[in-house]
Amino acid sequence: MTYTALLMMVVGLAVIVSILAAGAAFAVARWGGDPTPRCVAASGRAFVTTLTVFAAVLAVVISAIK
């Protein structure tokens, strides 16, 4: 497996985990009784936050490997 393929798999995994976190945030907000627009906003914040954390960790790991 090449370095590029491994990097693409990690990025794909980060996006999938971010989507799952966004879905969970939407469900929790909806079960809490919030209106749909607020649930969508919570979902977007969860997606962006999770993806940002993954990107930061990935940047540190890539710089440590190279």
Side-chain angles (χ1 to χ4, degrees), residues 10-59:
V10 170
V11 169
L13 180 64
V15 170
I16 289 171
V17 170
S18 296
I19 291 171
L20 291 174
F26 182 88
V28 168
R30 195 68 185 141
W31 288 332
D34 287 342
T36 303
R38 193 174 300 163
C39 296
V40 171
S43 176
R45 282 193 306 270
F47 178 78
V48 170
T49 303
T50 307
L51 200 56
T52 301
V53 169
F54 268 106
V57 170
L58 188 59

